[in-house]
Amino acid sequence: MTMDVVWHPACRLHQAGAGHPERPERIAAVWEALRAPALAAVVEWVEAAPAPREALERVHPPRYLDALEALATRGGGPLDADTFMGPRTWEAALASAGVALGAVERGIARGTAFGTTRPPGHHALADRAMGFCFLSNVAIAARHAQQLGKAQVLIVDWDVHHGNGTQAIVEQDASVRFVSMHQYPWYPGTGAADERGVGNVFNVPRPPGLPRAVYVHDLLAAVDAALDGWRPDIVLVSAGFDSLAGDPLGGFTLEPEDLAHCATELRRRAGRAPVVAMLEGGYRLDLLAAGAVALARALA
Ligand SMILES: [Zn+2]
């Protein structure tokens, strides 16, 4: 079976500044890995359109979107201590959100899809950029899926950092369930187990350095808790690869095959619901490449 990899060339145009870990080489490494001859029978490439304004406004206030665009037009500048806009960041952010939208559409059509989104999105709040993120790709994707008739959305976030932005956007909305496993305490400081939203938030805060099987077990147990008496119409995965052993921004011990196993188990639990992954973090290029390949094989 093949699987659609959704992409947009403008995702590499965002420049956060010299030495910044969220660099264009990240997405280039993912694309290069997925273009390997060994994956030619697995991957179908689909170029997305940039996200239309109306899709963004389902999540972000117009004033915030205007401010981001205006800042890029002025050449860019800082938005928080580690989140910087360059002159082409807005173009990249629209492309990234467009990739998320396209991945939802391809996932609904094909059963699975992998959106290679950059910049990432899971730290972005509705009205504030933070943690290398500008637009909430996965929340924008969730609202798009709902527009397309997928009323109940499960979001599973295995990035090593808490998906605080995603949680903040969906935590009062019982039509979306959010599972996040993350290092804790760690950036951004949120994600305690007692943050439950309206009963739709399932946080799995864990220390670094545990045996890798513990992380896998605990993530899937939280997914099972989220699925207890509730069936999603689509599953979205915030696939960060900074939860892999050796990432410079995290201390988890997962291997690429562990994330592939999690993806396979999500597909099994999803039944006939599509499973759509989108890229979040991951800051060592070789791990990012290995993780993306393992995930693509699991989704194909
Ligand atoms: Zn992360």
Side-chain angles (χ1 to χ4, degrees), residues 122-123 159-161 242 281-283:
H122 74 152
H123 296 305
D159 188 282
V160 79
H161 305 100
D242 45 10
Y283 301 96

Side-chain angles (χ1 to χ4, degrees), residues 120 122-123 131-132 157-162 186-187 240-243 247 249-250 280-283:
H122 74 152
H123 296 305
F132 316 165
D157 185 329
W158 67 47
D159 188 282
V160 79
H161 305 100
H162 179 232
W186 199 236
Y187 183 87
F241 296 103
D242 45 10
S243 50
D247 189 276
L249 298 192
E280 298 284 359
Y283 301 96

